[in-house]
Amino acid sequence: MKKLLFIIQLAALVAAYSSPSYASGGHGKGHGRGHHKHREVIVERHYYHAPEARYYPAPPPPPAPRYPSPDQRSTSGLVGGAVGSALGYELGKGDPVASGLGAAAGAYIGNGMSGR
């Protein structure tokens, strides 16, 4: 009970003295009452006009790509290349060059048969 009364009195004392101590701006006695010499500060302000907005037309779309000839690929050429690769691998006994040549020959023959 004694501690509670002591805390209440301490809080009242702090509340009573905190307000006057900050009334002068927190600097203590004598400050904020015209004892400082203040110099006049001249501020020059320059205002610039915002630049005028300029609008330009949108650029034209790029031209469509032009291919020199129609697409030469076909499913017949794909099947011919696969069959030619298998035959070249078998006839060349696993040689990768024979397999590549067989694939090229099979694709050429397959595209020729489809009319492309």
Side-chain angles (χ1 to χ4, degrees):
M1 185 72 175
K2 287 183 182 182
K3 287 184 181 180
L4 182 63
L5 288 175
F6 177 73
I7 292 175
I8 291 173
Q9 289 175 355
L10 183 64
L13 186 66
V14 168
Y17 283 107
S18 64
S19 178
S21 67
Y22 285 112
S24 66
H27 295 293
K29 293 185 178 181
H31 292 283
R33 296 191 180 134
H35 296 289
H36 295 288
K37 295 181 181 178
H38 296 285
R39 287 184 267 160
E40 185 177 335
V41 178
I42 299 173
V43 177
E44 293 184 23
R45 294 193 171 126
H46 300 281
Y47 296 99
Y48 296 100
H49 295 286
E52 184 177 322
R54 296 181 183 169
Y55 298 100
Y56 298 101
R66 298 185 141 236
Y67 299 107
S69 63
D71 193 11
Q72 297 293 320
R73 295 176 290 183
S74 70
T75 55
S76 299
L78 179 66
V79 172
V83 170
S85 175
L87 284 175
Y89 184 80
E90 288 297 321
L91 294 176
K93 297 188 172 121
D95 186 22
V97 175
S99 178
L101 289 175
Y108 180 74
I109 293 171
N111 281 330
M113 288 176 62
S114 70
R116 291 185 180 218

